[in-house]
Amino acid sequence: MTLGRLNHVGIATPSIDKTVETYRHLLGAEAIGAPFDLPPQGVRVCFIDAPNAQIELIQPLDETSPIANFLRKNPAGGQHHLCFEVADMAAAIAGLQAKGATLLGDPRIGAHGTPVVFLHPRDMGGVLVELMEMPGEGH
Amino acid sequence: MTLGRLNHVGIATPSIDKTVETYRHLLGAEAIGAPFDLPPQGVRVCFIDAPNAQIELIQPLDETSPIANFLRKNPAGGQHHLCFEVADMAAAIAGLQAKGATLLGDPRIGAHGTPVVFLHPRDMGGVLVELMEMPGEGH
């Protein structure tokens, strides 16, 4: 595996609407997607495009969402995860497991409709890292 | 101001050497710069290149560094800030001040040798945001 593109930075927020307005008003964000729900993950998400990468705003759908727990510790919101692209998820997972990395659960379908998997922050210097297969590049 | 490129994600770490090895071993990072000190900021930094953006690893030079304080709360390290590029720092600052944003101090010269300024996390949904002028694009 070679380090792939930084697809997005995930940011937890108690209010996607308010945070979108912040990025629009203060930073001049213009390419803002429509928010949508991901019920299996317990979250509502919204992507803001920077020219080279995306910001994924993540709001809990209910109090059982992992993001709700994050917001209990960080009520204003904050940086939640980094997502790097991989060409082949199966190969990436096999390689990580061979190196003893801890994956958080099985791969699932992420917000972009392709397989994603999360690495435990303790393996990555306290940073929650998501790997995301790019459409059409997998096997 | 229009939202510019996500230049880098800043990650605090107690050990640049160990975190570089993690990114190399687990994620296949290959383009890893030489670490260097920024004494005025009290930090040592190291840039890892993803194809479209950089990871800035930040290690405190001493216990008075702001990063030392971050690590007291997050001993393993963690995501510290996001840095977006601006074409014209003076214009960006004037616009932000006109909108009532709180800047953390005056602009200074950042790790890439161009002016940078930080926005208070309370203005940005709990996220510390750095703005960085691109070389040759300012006025």
Side-chain angles (χ1 to χ4, degrees), chain A residues 3 6 25 27 52 79 99, chain B residues 3 6 25 52 79 99:
Chain A
L3 183 65
L6 179 65
H25 179 62
L27 299 188
N52 61 326
Q79 293 185 65
K99 291 170 184 167
Chain B
L3 183 64
L6 178 66
H25 179 62
N52 61 325
Q79 290 187 66
K99 291 170 184 168

Side-chain angles (χ1 to χ4, degrees), chain A:
Chain A
M1 181 161 110
T2 304
L3 183 65
R5 289 182 72 254
L6 179 65
N7 184 273
H8 64 263
V9 177
I11 293 178
T13 172
S15 167
I16 282 177
D17 289 349
K18 284 186 186 172
T19 304
V20 160
E21 185 50 31
T22 296
Y23 275 76
R24 194 196 310 269
H25 179 62
L26 286 186
L27 299 188
E30 294 170 347
I32 298 166
F36 59 98
D37 293 350
L38 286 175
Q41 279 88 304
V43 295
R44 183 170 178 78
V45 301
C46 176
F47 285 95
I48 298 175
D49 292 350
N52 61 326
Q54 293 182 303
I55 304 296
E56 180 188 32
L57 302 181
I58 318 166
Q59 177 183 331
L61 282 178
D62 58 47
E63 286 305 304
T64 67
S65 162
I67 299 297
N69 195 40
F70 181 96
L71 291 175
R72 276 188 282 274
K73 297 174 191 164
N74 308 275
Q79 293 185 65
H80 181 261
H81 69 269
L82 301 183
C83 177
F84 294 100
E85 298 174 1
V86 297
D88 182 332
M89 179 61 76
I93 288 175
L96 287 164
Q97 288 177 330
K99 291 170 184 167
T102 301
L103 305 180
L104 296 171
D106 294 321
R108 61 188 192 205
I109 300 302
H112 286 296
T114 64
V116 302
V117 74
F118 286 84
L119 280 167
H120 198 294
R122 75 167 167 246
D123 287 339
M124 290 301 309
V127 175
L128 179 61
V129 170
E130 178 183 12
L131 301 177
M132 165 187 164
E133 187 170 275
M134 290 311 298
E137 294 183 12
H139 297 283

